[in-house]
Amino acid sequence: MDSLLIRGGRKLVGEIEVSGSKNIALAVLSSIVLAEEPVLLRNVPNISDTRIKTKLLEIFGAKVEWMGTDVLVDCSNLVAGEPDEEMVRAIRTSFYMIGPLVARLGTLKMPAPGGCKIGARPVDLHLKGLHLLGAKITLDGGIYTATQKKLKGTEVYLDKPSAGATQHIMSTAARAEGTTIINNAAMEPEITALADFLNRIGASIEGAGTPKITIIGKRSLGGGDYKIPADRIQAGTFLLAGAITGGDVTIRNILPEDQTALVNKMREAGAFVDEGVDWVRIGAPSRLNGVNVTTMPHPGFPTDMQQPMAATLCVAEGTSIIEETIYESRTGHIMELNRMGAQIRQESGSAVIQGVESLRGATVYASDLRAGAALCLAGLVAEGETHVRNIHFIDRGYEAIESTLNALGADVQRVTESELVKVR
Ligand code: EPZ
């Protein structure tokens, strides 16, 4: 298993771009089975999650050709494949393929999903919407069976503004007969991007990015080409890499409005933030001041930035309180950060961080994708060497994270188990 060796103490300075968005790419790769003609996707992140997703598409008969970050996907002839349970468990959004696939195939089986262990991650809202659209979905022995004779437009209220359920229902409704309205829809940028993609291949969706989305179903959807927008969470992570090291980092070719919650919080913490049409720059003093953070559905502070933000606040001046309201156990980073000398205690659903002057390098274990990113940020500022293990979690969402960090002046080395013996 690969791991990262990080030698801390260097300010990160410079300008970078980030890859296409993992979560938009996964949303598009779930609903692309609706396209009955070839689709050319551009700027697709080359990460383990997207690679697994395209293998899943091939099991259902899609033809997939990777050409760098361009991916040609032809779903004109689909079959009711039987995907391997291990493969499906690897990524949660395999579940989001059920609605679009049953719209095309009429019946299919799909193992229940997996994904980062950050909470129970129920799918009740997905199932509520699919049932209202006319799909019959049962679960037996960890395998979902979905069937439908006719999908009909409906009105659905989401008890929680679930990003996944909104994506899943929106894409399935694109092929239902009649109009569907989703109330209390999620407003994450991933929803807006997915609606843009679906409209590009012939769907008729309005209101994405607002709490009410209206979808007029079509008999079939065609092909086209679509560029995946930049990854807002990668951008936020690398902005924080600049901030935690007292550096000065600019991320280019991104949507600054996707960073609004983060940059305002960082200004509160004493960072300098500037932004232009398609870039954001963050500079920080040698020590930030503590702030309180509450994660909320978009446009609130994004839950995916919670763990990297916690790492950043470990070395800020004073006390910070982080309240995670989206996932009940997105806490895998806390024990590991405390091993590095952080002072974080958990108090009724919140993390109370007592800022310390410095962290010390240690061997730490990533427990999920964003916890892994948090440990990398901590390693950048820790004295000595930090060894981050289980970095397969990080590779799910960051393409070669060590290359990006080193391009900003960090000293990060990816080592295999055997190399580790030599390096130590
Ligand atoms: C997506 O997950 C992202 N994953 C997550 O990013 C992100 O944290 C999350 O949206 C929120 O923004 C992908 O896009 C692949 P949800 P998803 O449905 O779709 C509850 C990362 O690090 N809920 O909005 O699973 C659920 O328990 C990942 O890149 C229900 O109760 O998010 C959770 O508390 C992690 N019933 C909350 O909603 C449902 O049917 C958020 O879930 C569905 C969800």
Side-chain angles (χ1 to χ4, degrees), residues 283-300:
S286 54
R287 200 162 187 212
L288 295 161
N289 44 55
V291 290
N292 296 334
V293 175
T294 300
T295 64
M296 294 298 278
H298 194 76

Side-chain angles (χ1 to χ4, degrees), residues 205-382:
I205 298 172
E206 285 185 1
T210 76
K212 180 177 176 182
I213 301 177
T214 304
I215 305 107
I216 301 173
K218 303 286 180 174
R219 282 185 186 284
S220 69
L221 298 177
D225 78 77
Y226 179 73
K227 181 178 181 184
I228 305 286
D231 192 307
R232 65 187 174 109
I233 306 301
Q234 280 193 43
T237 305
F238 295 120
L239 285 171
L240 288 184
I244 195 172
T245 57
D248 185 338
V249 166
T250 300
I251 317 278
R252 291 213 171 276
N253 285 338
I254 57 171
L255 294 172
E257 57 268 29
D258 286 350
Q259 305 299 329
T260 300
L262 178 71
V263 298
N264 278 281
K265 232 351 120 172
M266 290 313 289
R267 282 195 183 108
E268 266 181 57
F272 155 83
V273 182
D274 193 9
E275 55 191 73
V277 171
D278 62 355
W279 57 269
V280 173
R281 176 183 174 193
I282 197 163
S286 54
R287 200 162 187 212
L288 295 161
N289 44 55
V291 290
N292 296 334
V293 175
T294 300
T295 64
M296 294 298 278
H298 194 76
F301 191 93
T303 174
D304 293 349
M305 287 306 301
Q306 181 259 107
Q307 294 157 298
M309 188 68 171
T312 305
L313 294 172
C314 284
V315 289
E317 177 93 39
T319 304
S320 304
I321 299 174
I322 296 190
E323 191 189 0
E324 169 61 69
T325 67
I326 307 293
Y327 293 109
E328 61 275 26
S329 49
R330 197 164 204 169
T331 57
H333 55 302
I334 293 177
M335 186 168 66
E336 299 303 297
L337 289 172
N338 285 345
R339 286 172 81 89
M340 298 175 70
Q343 289 188 12
I344 310 175
R345 65 177 193 280
Q346 289 178 264
E347 268 180 22
S348 56
S350 292
V352 180
I353 303 172
Q354 190 59 48
V356 293
E357 298 231 336
S358 64
L359 297 175
R360 282 173 308 290
T363 296
V364 288
Y365 287 74
S367 55
D368 59 77
L369 166 55
R370 307 301 173 185
L375 298 177
C376 290
L377 295 186
L380 294 173
V381 74

Side-chain angles (χ1 to χ4, degrees), residues 1 45 48 64 102-103 116 148-149 189 204 206 245 272 299 304 361 379 384 387:
M1 295 281 249
S48 56
V64 178
V102 82
C116 278
Q148 63 85 12
K149 287 201 174 36
S204 175
E206 285 185 1
T245 57
F272 155 83
D304 293 349
H387 180 199

Side-chain angles (χ1 to χ4, degrees), residues 46 76 86 99 145 147 175 181 194 227 265 276 294 298 383:
N46 184 11
S76 41
E86 282 316 303
T145 300
T147 58
R175 274 289 307 267
I181 292 176
L194 178 60
K227 181 178 181 184
K265 232 351 120 172
T294 300
H298 194 76
E383 289 164 5

Side-chain angles (χ1 to χ4, degrees), residues 21-22 25-26 29 44-55 66 91 396:
S21 164
K22 162 180 92 80
L26 291 173
L29 289 170
V44 181
N46 184 11
I47 49 180
S48 56
D49 270 18
T50 49
R51 285 285 176 175
I52 293 171
K53 199 67 177 283
T54 51
K55 284 197 176 23
W66 279 82
I91 33 174
R396 294 190 52 183

Side-chain angles (χ1 to χ4, degrees), residues 22-23 26 92-93 96 118 121-126 160-165 167 188 232 303-304 326-328 330 369-370:
K22 162 180 92 80
N23 292 344
L26 291 173
R92 174 174 169 75
T93 58
Y96 306 4
I118 51 179
R121 310 196 78 181
V123 290
D124 57 310
L125 299 175
H126 295 246
K160 283 183 183 176
S162 153
Q167 293 165 21
E188 270 69 13
R232 65 187 174 109
T303 174
D304 293 349
I326 307 293
Y327 293 109
E328 61 275 26
R330 197 164 204 169
L369 166 55
R370 307 301 173 185

